[in-house]
Amino acid sequence: MPAVSYSPDSSIANIAPQSFDIRSFRDAVGAEIVGLDLSRPISDQDFARIHRAHLDYHVVVFRDQRITPEQQIAFSRRFGVLQIHVLKQFLLAGHPEILIVSNIIENGQSIGLGDAGKFWHSDLSYKELPSLGSMLHAQELPSEGGDTLFADMHKAWDALPEALRKAVEGRSAAHSYTARYSETKFEGNWRPTLTPEQLAQVAEVVHPIVRTHPETGRKALFVSEGFTTRIVGLPEDESTALLAELYAHSVLPQNIYRHQWQPHDLVFWDNRSLTHLAAGCPSHLRRKLYRTTIQGDAPF
């Protein structure tokens, strides 16, 4: 297994470690981190523990984080370069690194992306350098609904029937941001028409169907109903049928962790290991979260 790598922060070399617990959830997907304060500088020792947990559990939940946008951005940058979302109209003013995920309407306008995650997907798989991971920090939560589901694509690959393995090994698939962009799913939400400039930023890309995690060496399926459009080199009907089998297999109940949000949760997931889905909430209940997205490597 490749060694865990991260970038120590020399500016905080003398910061004392904090006392916190990492508690894995049942069924091995996901863990919560309790007792850590992300508003304080994070020592390299603590960062190494967090990084290891992120690799081991694929999604980690930092409880009760009362942090500012600046602090979220700074912590996210410890993991790598941040990516700026194509929907510039939904970026936090003064902090373009943060995408506002929200169903709130003010003065007749959406303040954020209300239907983010409406289909299973891995963030920014439609880019040449897809996301390493994303952090989502709860600002306002609805009294019901609003859950986020995460599917373990390593487990999906490990349990893939032999016939499906043979059908996809060595093949690639196309990914496009606009694949299902205009399809409505959540009541009361809409998406703005993309400008020619925005469309140029999300041109179709091709990635392997089975990718290798660059830090752990584990294989995972890397297709999703949200962004994958076709399997390269197959007739359309064969491609559609094969993708449907992969989608159904990847989101079996035993592969899924369902996150029920608590106030001030910050959730950090690995887009190289998981796909995720927003379950939605009643349109009259306010929901707002801040998302940062960390750039990853070209899938291989």
Side-chain angles (χ1 to χ4, degrees):
M1 178 184 295
V4 174
S5 61
Y6 67 97
S7 301
D9 187 339
S10 59
S11 67
I12 58 172
N14 296 320
I15 297 297
Q18 298 184 45
S19 176
F20 61 94
D21 295 323
I22 300 173
R23 305 168 183 167
S24 64
F25 297 135
R26 191 173 298 173
D27 300 327
V29 182
E32 64 177 359
I33 295 179
V34 180
L36 183 74
D37 184 356
L38 293 177
S39 70
R40 295 167 52 189
I42 303 300
S43 70
D44 286 336
Q45 178 179 332
D46 288 347
F47 183 81
R49 286 185 66 197
I50 295 165
H51 184 241
R52 182 72 260 175
H54 187 246
L55 294 179
D56 289 345
Y57 302 112
H58 316 316
V59 54
V60 290
V61 181
F62 301 86
R63 298 295 190 189
D64 196 27
Q65 297 301 319
R66 299 168 189 269
I67 58 174
T68 65
E70 293 87 353
Q71 290 166 333
Q72 180 177 346
I73 290 167
F75 180 58
S76 302
R77 281 198 174 124
R78 292 287 296 273
F79 292 89
V81 174
L82 300 190
Q83 295 173 294
I84 309 301
H85 200 275
V86 67
L87 294 179
K88 300 288 195 293
Q89 52 269 69
F90 296 145
L91 302 181
L92 184 63
H95 301 290
E97 303 89 348
I98 288 180
L99 173 71
I100 302 171
V101 176
S102 180
N103 64 352
I104 298 171
I105 307 294
E106 292 182 352
N107 300 318
Q109 297 291 323
S110 296
I111 69 167
L113 185 55
D115 66 349
K118 59 187 175 181
F119 299 107
W120 286 101
H121 68 289
S122 174
D123 287 335
L124 277 67
S125 71
Y126 52 84
K127 304 286 283 187
E128 291 287 351
L129 297 177
S131 166
L132 175 158
S134 301
M135 294 190 192
L136 199 58
H137 187 215
Q139 305 295 311
E140 293 186 56
L141 296 175
S143 57
E144 61 180 279
D147 295 354
T148 305
L149 283 67
F150 297 91
D152 187 331
M153 302 300 272
H154 296 302
K155 284 186 173 183
W157 167 252
D158 291 343
L160 197 67
E162 188 63 26
L164 280 179
R165 282 192 177 221
K166 289 181 178 179
V168 301
E169 279 189 301
R171 290 196 173 274
S172 297
H175 296 243
S176 173
Y177 181 59
T178 60
R180 308 184 74 169
Y181 181 83
S182 299
E183 292 185 39
T184 57
K185 188 174 181 183
F186 299 146
E187 181 186 354
N189 290 299
W190 62 278
R191 289 202 170 188
T193 301
L194 296 172
T195 66
E197 179 185 7
Q198 288 173 315
L199 287 170
Q201 295 177 40
V202 292
E204 181 183 85
V205 298
V206 172
H207 294 307
I209 292 174
V210 183
R211 72 175 296 177
T212 302
H213 196 290
E215 296 186 82
T216 68
R218 293 187 65 189
K219 288 187 175 182
L221 287 178
F222 194 59
V223 291
S224 70
E225 63 173 4
F227 294 142
T228 306
T229 57
R230 60 190 171 85
I231 296 176
V232 177
L234 287 185
E236 183 178 357
D237 58 341
E238 290 184 32
S239 171
T240 299
L242 183 51
L243 285 173
E245 287 189 80
L246 294 175
Y247 299 156
H249 174 79
S250 67
V251 297
L252 294 173
Q254 60 266 31
N255 296 338
I256 292 175
Y257 161 63
R258 186 182 190 106
H259 183 67
Q260 296 177 308
W261 290 84
Q262 297 179 22
H264 310 292
D265 274 353
L266 184 142
V267 177
F268 177 31
W269 64 90
D270 192 331
N271 282 302
R272 304 162 298 184
S273 299
L274 306 171
T275 57
H276 60 284
L277 172 75
C281 70
S283 59
H284 66 281
L285 299 178
R286 292 167 64 98
R287 183 175 186 263
K288 181 170 73 170
L289 306 99
Y290 288 167
R291 193 186 91 181
T292 45
T293 309
I294 303 146
Q295 180 173 285
D297 303 313
F300 63 92

